[in-house]
Amino acid sequence: MTLDFSIVLAQWPLLLKGLALTCLLTLLTAPLGVTLGVLCAWLRVHGPAWLRAVVAAYVELVRNTPFIIQLFFVFFGLPSLGLRLSPEVASALAMVLNLGAYASEIARAGIEATPQGQIEAALSLAMSRWQIFTRVVLPPALARVWPALVSQMIIVMLGSSVCGQISTEEFSFAANLIASRTFRNFEAYILVTGAYLALAVALRRLLNWFGPRFIFGR
């Protein structure tokens, strides 16, 4: 078998468009998903009993079902309730909900590891509950679990590859289209595999640089 990557690379505008959409989905959903996860973690720890139960049900539902089923529910199920979403918006919403559930448990582990003495010291300074959470509890909690959060964000980015199943024109959608046009499946998927690997490595390095400088101040 003779490999010919030139045929696949000739479709570079399609590949670039798919790669750009994958990056855009990741950049939009990663901060939103982590924010949702932190909020849910706080509610699991400090919220009223009924709200803790609701959040726990959401977390268990998402963590114990496949992402593609969640994606299909958002895209095909919500229209039956009168809410029609474009493939891109449905993909972003499903990714945020998925990341939020996993990030919730990761963040909760960091929050619950906060020494009680730090909270008591903050209370003695007449800090409000919100100030204690945002200034005393959250920064060191995120520092403890940041590697796990980064890994989860990368997993969600890689999981975006199934969004092509609802016609979201992300990177794997472009690869499948090129493979069907050129019949160069092996070359197309080699390129896509290498691109996803490079994207995951770059994202990990970016997040590991960004987190200590701008999120938990180290």
Side-chain angles (χ1 to χ4, degrees):
M1 180 181 66
T2 303
L3 297 179
D4 187 359
F5 289 94
S6 62
I7 299 175
V8 176
L9 292 174
Q11 305 285 330
W12 67 265
L14 187 58
L15 286 171
L16 188 60
K17 179 182 177 182
L19 182 61
L21 184 54
T22 294
C23 293
L24 179 61
L25 284 172
T26 303
L27 290 175
L28 287 176
T29 60
L32 291 175
V34 171
T35 301
L36 176 61
V38 170
L39 176 61
C40 289
W42 185 83
L43 291 173
R44 289 288 298 273
V45 176
H46 299 291
W50 68 270
L51 196 51
R52 291 201 303 268
V54 171
V55 174
Y58 152 66
V59 170
E60 291 304 313
L61 177 64
V62 171
R63 294 178 69 208
N64 291 286
T65 55
F67 174 64
I68 193 169
I69 300 301
Q70 300 161 22
L71 180 66
F72 284 172
F73 176 80
V74 171
F75 187 68
F76 296 113
L78 291 184
S80 64
L81 302 177
L83 182 58
R84 294 185 177 275
L85 303 174
S86 68
E88 293 77 16
V89 174
S91 298
L93 178 58
M95 290 170 67
V96 168
L97 292 175
N98 183 272
L99 177 56
Y102 284 93
S104 171
E105 291 301 279
I106 295 172
R108 185 161 69 101
I111 291 170
E112 291 181 340
T114 302
Q116 188 63 29
Q118 291 185 8
I119 299 175
E120 293 173 354
L123 287 171
S124 69
L125 295 174
M127 296 178 69
S128 68
R129 186 176 293 272
W130 178 248
Q131 288 176 323
I132 292 172
F133 179 71
T134 56
R135 299 181 185 181
V136 177
V137 175
L138 188 58
L142 288 179
R144 293 185 196 99
V145 300
W146 188 247
L149 281 175
V150 169
S151 295
Q152 194 59 48
M153 283 185 270
I154 291 173
I155 289 171
V156 170
M157 181 273 291
L158 296 175
S160 69
S161 60
V162 305
C163 294
Q165 298 296 317
I166 60 170
S167 299
T168 303
E169 297 181 6
E170 42 73 46
F171 199 39
S172 67
F173 178 92
N176 290 332
L177 186 57
I178 291 171
S180 66
R181 287 177 177 177
T182 63
F183 300 102
R184 291 287 178 175
N185 295 22
F186 194 62
E187 292 92 329
Y189 294 124
I190 285 178
L191 284 175
V192 170
T193 299
Y196 271 119
L197 176 61
L199 191 59
V201 171
L203 181 60
R204 185 180 299 276
R205 290 184 177 179
L206 175 64
L207 291 172
N208 284 334
W209 172 85
F210 180 83
R213 287 166 176 78
F214 299 100
I215 297 180
F216 42 88
R218 286 188 177 179

